[in-house]
Amino acid sequence: MSMAAMKGDTAFQARSLFRSLIRQSRQFAAYNFREYAKRRTRDAFREHRGEVEERRIQELIQKGLKELQMMKRQTVVSQFYQLDRLVVEGGKTGKQSGSEGGIARVKDTGWD
């Protein structure tokens, strides 16, 4: 296999890993975890953008694959603990009340 073909294959692996990590980070239920995972992924790839040593690149890809597996486990766990959407996430939040179908923040109190 030529060196150019190996380099192209490595670039494909890195792009594929990046897309998988970003896609998986969108699966977190909590906004802060979602944003942290996306930011951490982008920062890690930017940090190692200039790597040229093939062995080091393969080590980084293997580390990224381990991170992806960990993220998959964490997103499953995060689905069990979903909270209300935050204001910064956009969209309507709160519980429905009123005759017009509007959304109003209703605080649950007591055991009614």
Side-chain angles (χ1 to χ4, degrees), residues 7 38-39 47 52 63 78 92 101 109:
K7 190 169 188 105
K38 286 191 280 190
R39 186 175 57 248
E47 180 183 341
V52 291
K63 181 180 177 186
S78 79
K92 293 185 175 181
T109 58

Side-chain angles (χ1 to χ4, degrees), residues 34-95:
R34 268 196 314 273
E35 293 303 310
Y36 173 77
K38 286 191 280 190
R39 186 175 57 248
R40 179 67 189 108
T41 299
R42 284 191 215 108
D43 290 347
F45 273 80
R46 282 186 191 129
E47 180 183 341
H48 299 291
R49 181 186 303 177
E51 287 290 340
V52 291
E53 186 182 335
E54 189 67 28
R55 183 178 176 140
R56 176 72 176 138
I57 293 171
Q58 286 302 319
E59 288 173 359
L60 290 168
I61 288 174
Q62 290 304 313
K63 181 180 177 186
L65 290 170
K66 287 180 184 176
E67 293 287 328
L68 178 61
Q69 293 304 315
M70 182 273 307
M71 196 183 294
K72 286 181 179 182
R73 291 189 302 271
Q74 291 297 321
T75 54
V76 169
V77 171
S78 79
Q79 300 299 319
F80 294 129
Y81 302 102
Q82 291 187 6
L83 303 171
D84 289 342
R85 292 177 63 87
L86 300 175
V87 173
V88 295
E89 293 180 84
K92 293 185 175 181
T93 60
K95 295 183 180 177

